[in-house]
Amino acid sequence: MPQRVRTAVFPVAGLGTRFLPATKAMPKEMLTVVDRPLIQYAVDEAREAGIEHFVFVTGRNKGVIEDHFDRQFELEQTLEVRGKTEALRELQKDLPSAGRTSFTRQQEPLGLGHAVWCARELVGNQPFALLLPDMIFRATPGVLKQMMQAYEETGGNIIGVEEVDPAETASYGIVARGEGPDSGFRITGMVEKPEPKDAPSNLFISGRYILQPEIFTLLAEQPRGTGGEIQLTDAMQTLIRQQVFTGVKYDGKVFDCGSKIGFLTANVVFALDRPDLADDFRKAVAHLL
Ligand code: UTP
């Protein structure tokens, strides 16, 4: 049996420049899809997968994320006095229990790889899940839970992948697919943003990983890559020569909420999924169109 994955890392220190001015003073990860912040979707997905320790790598202007995962006594009391018990119950349900969250600062946004490396002391010498909170999924069960099932069989490193239009590989990290079914196949290589003619497949890395702690040593030695940032993919490309990487082509669909189109689409799709909103929202949109 591989060592259990009980810790998840959420890198939330990016500048979110594609969402300015919204992200000037507010973290991108607090943008809402319908009525839940992006970070809440990622935390919910991790809890469903059995994660017990939630590590956030934050930066300046991100304090509100810490507040979001704390109790708000004044608000709770007001809801109670007003008899809004359902809203109160929902608020309490969203919260990881006391002592299960940890926060550290990246200090400088030197890239995703650097943000992950900043979590090394909090994670320690154990496998961990990594969730990019601006990628949210419509998937049942959740994508990380599907990946955990593969992990229990193979151990090692797991990467969630999804199909992309073969003409668009140059916007994504693409894996090379080896032996095995969609629920767990060998990854034989990965390439960052290949042109379609150079892409080894059309399976892209969509923001969910289970990684072994040796990645931290590689990240520490990693020179700056594309855009002067320390890239996670560069470190994984080295680790793949030493350890097994398994791809999971999960059942579900990603929405890249770091981009405006992805974010707007997610709002429409998730609103139409909500029994309390779907009918009225459909009518409102139909009227507009
Ligand atoms: P992105 O690649 O979307 O970058 O980060 P970004 O800086 O947030 O956004 P843009 O491109 O300027 O609009 C993916 C995830 O990695 C985190 C981000 O917070 C986001 O959740 N990240 C990125 C860090 O924590 N630190 C970094 O240095 C870069």
Side-chain angles (χ1 to χ4, degrees):
M1 271 287 268
Q3 190 180 353
R4 213 179 127 220
V5 180
R6 48 178 308 278
T7 299
V9 174
F10 303 87
V12 293
L15 296 177
T17 53
R18 284 170 291 167
F19 264 98
L20 284 168
T23 46
K24 191 175 165 200
M26 184 192 74
K28 170 172 78 171
E29 298 78 12
M30 289 301 288
L31 289 170
T32 53
V33 169
V34 189
D35 50 10
R36 298 170 82 68
L38 294 175
I39 188 69
Q40 185 76 56
Y41 287 92
V43 165
D44 290 348
E45 184 187 331
R47 288 170 88 189
E48 181 202 3
I51 295 297
E52 295 168 353
H53 181 202
F54 305 82
V55 174
F56 299 86
V57 181
T58 76
R60 279 180 295 284
N61 287 337
K62 304 279 182 167
V64 67
I65 295 177
E66 201 162 336
D67 293 339
H68 180 74
F69 291 106
D70 194 6
R71 291 188 65 177
Q72 240 271 37
F73 286 106
E74 221 174 81
L75 175 64
E76 290 181 19
Q77 215 172 14
T78 309
L79 291 173
E80 194 153 355
V81 168
R82 295 190 183 164
K84 300 205 169 194
T85 43
E86 180 59 21
L88 181 59
R89 212 177 50 81
E90 284 296 315
L91 268 191
Q92 288 169 344
K93 192 164 65 73
D94 289 344
L95 211 57
S97 38
R100 298 271 191 203
T101 51
S102 301
F103 297 84
T104 187
R105 289 220 176 191
Q106 190 186 5
Q107 297 178 342
E108 274 180 277
L110 294 178
L112 175 62
H114 181 257
V116 173
W117 177 73
C118 289
R120 68 200 179 282
E121 294 293 338
L122 290 168
V123 172
N125 190 26
Q126 55 167 341
F128 62 100
L130 170 65
L131 297 93
L132 308 195
D134 45 1
M135 308 299 262
I136 66 169
F137 297 83
R138 189 161 178 256
T140 315
V143 169
L144 189 61
K145 187 164 182 175
Q146 295 182 41
M147 291 166 59
M148 286 287 197
Q149 282 157 5
Y151 175 79
E152 275 157 28
E153 283 177 25
T154 61
N157 303 271
I158 311 278
I159 299 185
V161 297
E162 188 170 321
E163 279 185 350
V164 66
D165 179 342
E168 290 176 12
T169 54
S171 304
Y172 301 93
I174 303 286
V175 302
R177 180 171 184 161
E179 294 274 291
D182 284 354
S183 58
F185 59 85
R186 191 69 180 256
I187 293 178
T188 55
M190 51 190 96
V191 196
E192 195 56 57
K193 303 186 171 61
E195 288 304 322
K197 63 174 176 33
D198 304 320
S201 77
N202 68 333
L203 296 174
F204 80 101
I205 302 174
S206 61
R208 297 294 181 267
Y209 314 75
I210 296 170
L211 295 169
Q212 297 297 319
E214 286 74 20
I215 195 81
F216 292 127
T217 319
L218 296 172
L219 285 169
E221 296 158 359
Q222 197 63 53
R224 293 193 188 193
T226 320
E229 295 190 336
I230 295 173
Q231 301 289 345
L232 178 65
T233 312
D234 293 346
M236 290 196 302
Q237 275 164 339
T238 307
L239 191 58
I240 204 171
R241 290 187 222 123
Q242 301 157 20
Q243 292 185 355
V244 172
F245 273 71
T246 301
V248 173
K249 185 166 167 276
Y250 51 78
D251 194 8
K253 178 167 171 36
V254 72
F255 295 89
D256 176 3
C257 294
S259 82
K260 288 185 187 102
I261 294 295
F263 172 74
L264 294 169
T265 311
N267 267 289
V268 173
V269 171
F270 281 69
L272 290 173
D273 273 348
R274 283 270 295 262
D276 59 330
L277 295 172
D279 286 349
D280 289 346
F281 185 54
R282 193 172 286 113
K283 275 184 217 148
V285 173
H287 188 68
L288 278 177
L289 297 176

